[in-house]
Amino acid sequence: MNDMPVYPSALQHRKPPIVQIVGYKNSGKTTLVTSLLRLFVQQGLRVAVIKHDAHAFQMDHPGTDTYAHTEAGAVAIAITSPLRTAIIREQPASLEQLIDELIQGSREGYDLILIEGFKREQYPKVALVADEQGLELLSELTGIHWIYSRLDPEQVAEYMKREDDIHSKEIPIIPAGKDGIMDMFIALQAYIQAST
């Protein structure tokens, strides 16, 4: 691991490489994202993450001042400390809006943006296949660059051959697990280097 390259931080306001991690619910998206994050951070990269939630979510909690502000009718809350800043808005945002806000709001910029979810967006994707139902996802997606699978790679390859209209190019199938995380990390590292 010590002979891996160390990257300089991104230039401010430059759009960094963006990769989506997509899969059905409970396919391991967050586990893969956090595992990759730890490896990228060890290499000195500044990584931002955007997560899609198909349901209503609550960032703030009763008993905090910002929760009281929201309950009193504020449509946006900003809170900052010497170490962290958060903005909570009572409105939806598109993925492009979120990416632009992240880039514009960062002093140092980012070397990579990982997106968890947003299946219909057009960025390069890691498709997670946790079970046979997950194979169906491959037919629904565009922009798949890598497949990270708990299924036998041969089973995934066979499915892709049967569904020959899915993808015309060879897509690497990376077996899930500890070795697979490292293989995925190396593949994404190469993508980052080719993108900068």
Side-chain angles (χ1 to χ4, degrees):
M1 192 83 130
N2 292 337
D3 54 352
M4 297 278 189
V6 176
Y7 303 89
S9 285
L11 299 173
Q12 184 176 8
H13 305 300
R14 176 184 64 82
K15 193 168 192 175
I18 298 171
V19 174
Q20 290 179 253
I21 310 289
V22 299
Y24 289 140
K25 185 174 178 153
N26 297 321
S27 61
K29 297 181 298 291
T30 300
T31 299
L32 181 59
V33 167
T34 56
S35 296
L36 292 169
L37 267 169
R38 287 182 187 97
L39 293 168
F40 284 125
V41 169
Q42 285 175 3
Q43 296 301 306
L45 269 72
R46 292 180 42 80
V47 181
V49 176
I50 298 172
K51 178 174 174 53
H52 181 256
D53 188 340
H55 311 286
F57 65 91
Q58 184 63 39
M59 288 286 297
D60 218 348
H61 304 284
T64 64
D65 293 343
T66 53
Y67 183 86
H69 299 153
T70 302
E71 288 296 302
V75 294
I77 307 285
I79 183 170
T80 191
S81 74
L83 301 176
R84 179 172 290 155
T85 298
I87 299 172
I88 303 169
R89 293 185 189 94
E90 298 295 320
Q91 68 185 34
S94 72
L95 179 58
E96 288 306 316
Q97 288 171 315
L98 294 171
I99 291 169
D100 289 346
E101 286 184 28
L102 275 175
I103 292 169
Q104 295 303 316
S106 172
R107 271 188 246 149
E108 295 87 14
Y110 303 104
D111 299 298
L112 174 66
I113 296 176
L114 291 175
I115 299 169
E116 185 178 324
F118 289 94
K119 292 183 191 87
R120 305 289 170 248
E121 296 296 331
Q122 300 301 311
Y123 292 99
K125 292 177 183 68
V126 177
L128 274 67
V129 177
D131 52 29
E132 289 189 13
Q133 180 186 5
L135 290 171
E136 297 169 15
L137 180 66
L138 301 177
S139 301
E140 299 172 20
L141 297 174
T142 60
I144 299 174
H145 284 229
W146 309 271
I147 298 170
Y148 187 78
S149 178
R150 290 185 201 157
L151 296 179
D152 184 292
E154 294 299 321
Q155 185 178 359
V156 177
E158 185 60 36
Y159 177 84
M160 291 182 69
K161 283 180 194 168
R162 285 194 313 267
E163 304 288 325
D164 56 21
D165 61 319
I166 297 177
H167 309 284
S168 58
K169 66 174 189 160
E170 286 290 318
I171 298 172
I173 302 168
I174 300 171
K178 189 175 181 181
D179 291 340
I181 289 170
M182 186 54 71
D183 291 344
M184 190 76 256
F185 171 68
I186 291 167
L188 291 178
Q189 226 179 11
Y191 174 75
I192 293 167
Q193 288 178 334
S195 299
T196 53

